[in-house]
Amino acid sequence: MSEQPENIPHPAPDAQGEQRVRRGSQRFAPGEGPAPDPAGSHYERRIRSFQPRRSRVTTGQAEALLKRWPDWGLDIDGARVLDLDEMFGGLPVVLEIGFGMGEATAQMAAADPGTGILAVDVHTPGQGNLLGLADRNGLTNVRVANGDAIILLREMLPPESLAGCRVYFPDPWPKARHHKRRLIQPDFLTLLAPRLVKGGLLHCATDWEPYAEQMLEVLTAHPDFENTQADGGYAPRPGFRPLTRFEGQGLDKGHVVHDLLFHRV
C-alpha cells in the first residue's frame, strides 16, 4: 500500500462518500503543483476579468496534479519568456483562456493531436481534472497554465507565437457596474493581436446576449481583427468546438449561444 504524499492532507469523505481535499489546505512543494499566487506582487494591481473560486479538490485531481504538473503544468509568474516550440515539440499552439473542468479542452486535444493547447485557468480542481483527463487519454499536446492570462500574454509569450486563441463562455459580469471586468475589451485585443500569427483565429463563444453584442462590437471595431463571416455577424458553431455540458444545460433553458470567429489581419 503506497503512502499518502505528505504535501496533501488526508481527506475526509464528504456526504456522498467521495474523498475531497480543501483547496486552501493543499501544500504542494515547489514545482509539484500550482502556486496560490504565482505572479505575487510583482505586477500592478488592476481590475481582473476573473474571480478566483474556492472549492475542494478531489483526491484524484490532487494525484493528477502531483503526477503531471512537473511536466505539463506551469505557473504564470511573469519571470520568463516561454519557448512554445520546445514545450510542444514544434506544434502550432492555441491559447485557451478559461477551461472550466477541462472536458471540452480534452476533447479538442484528442480530435486534433497536431495542435498544442496551452490552457489557462485559476481553478485548481479544473486544473487537476484536465491533467487527469490528459494523462488517462495520452494527450501529450496539452499544457496547463495557472494564473492570470494577461500576465502570460504580456510578459511570457513572444510575438507571433500563437496560432489561435479560444475564449469560451467567459464570465459575463452581467451587472452594469461590472462590465469593465469583462475580458473581451479593446485593451485585451491590442495585447493579444501581436502574439497571434497573421491569420491566427480568435474564437469566442458566449450564451449571454448582451456580452455577445459587446464582443461583436469591440471585435468589429478593432483594426487588428477581421470577421470571418461575410455578413459581419455571428458564426455557426464550428465542428471543432464540442458542445459542453454547461452549454447543453443553457440550451435546455432556452439560452442562445453565439460564436464569434475573427482572424488577425
Side-chain angles (χ1 to χ4, degrees):
M1 180 175 178
S2 60
E3 294 182 353
Q4 181 108 8
E6 291 182 357
N7 58 340
I8 297 183
H10 292 278
D14 62 13
Q16 287 74 40
E18 183 178 8
Q19 289 188 325
R20 294 182 179 272
V21 180
R22 290 186 180 275
R23 182 182 190 277
S25 67
Q26 288 186 352
R27 294 294 181 268
F28 292 107
E32 288 188 350
D37 185 12
S41 58
H42 300 299
Y43 298 95
E44 75 279 5
R45 292 191 174 274
R46 58 178 173 77
I47 296 171
R48 291 185 173 181
S49 63
F50 61 88
Q51 175 124 15
R53 293 173 291 159
R54 289 191 174 274
S55 55
R56 296 180 178 183
V57 179
T58 67
T59 303
Q61 291 161 358
E63 289 174 350
L65 285 163
L66 279 173
K67 180 179 179 182
R68 282 305 183 184
W69 186 264
D71 296 323
W72 291 353
L74 66 103
D75 282 318
I76 300 173
D77 55 14
R80 64 200 189 282
V81 176
L82 300 177
D83 185 340
L84 296 186
D85 281 340
E86 180 180 358
M87 187 178 296
F88 288 93
L91 297 177
V93 177
V94 171
L95 174 67
E96 183 177 359
I97 300 176
F99 56 81
M101 295 306 290
E103 292 98 338
T105 307
Q107 289 181 53
M108 290 186 288
D112 184 13
T115 296
I117 301 178
L118 179 57
V120 182
D121 211 305
V122 295
H123 191 222
T124 312
Q127 293 165 353
N129 200 62
L130 177 54
L131 286 172
L133 289 169
D135 185 40
R136 291 191 296 274
N137 293 285
L139 305 177
T140 60
N141 57 329
V142 176
R143 300 292 181 271
V144 175
N146 168 54
D148 191 337
I150 299 299
I151 294 175
L152 175 70
L153 284 165
R154 191 180 62 208
E155 308 290 343
M156 300 178 70
L157 293 179
E160 299 193 353
S161 56
L162 298 173
C165 179
R166 298 166 180 165
V167 184
Y168 297 157
F169 304 99
D171 194 326
W173 294 102
K175 295 181 180 179
R177 68 177 183 270
H178 292 155
H179 286 181
K180 59 190 176 183
R181 296 183 177 274
R182 289 175 172 174
L183 179 63
I184 306 302
Q185 307 272 10
D187 287 349
F188 170 76
L189 298 177
T190 298
L191 177 63
L192 171 65
R195 277 73 181 174
L196 290 170
V197 298
K198 291 184 179 180
L201 184 67
L202 170 59
H203 181 193
C204 303
T206 181
D207 66 340
W208 193 261
E209 184 79 24
Y211 196 9
E213 293 171 355
Q214 177 188 323
M215 288 180 178
L216 185 60
E217 178 182 352
V218 170
L219 279 161
T220 300
H222 201 283
D224 292 332
F225 290 92
E226 181 178 57
N227 200 331
T228 63
Q229 303 303 297
D231 64 0
Y234 303 111
R237 179 175 66 88
F240 63 80
R241 182 175 74 76
L243 183 67
T244 66
R245 179 175 53 186
F246 168 82
E247 183 178 357
Q249 291 171 349
L251 292 172
D252 290 342
K253 296 175 183 177
H255 296 184
V256 177
V257 176
H258 291 292
D259 285 80
L260 300 94
L261 282 79
F262 279 72
H263 282 139
R264 185 215 158 178
V265 297

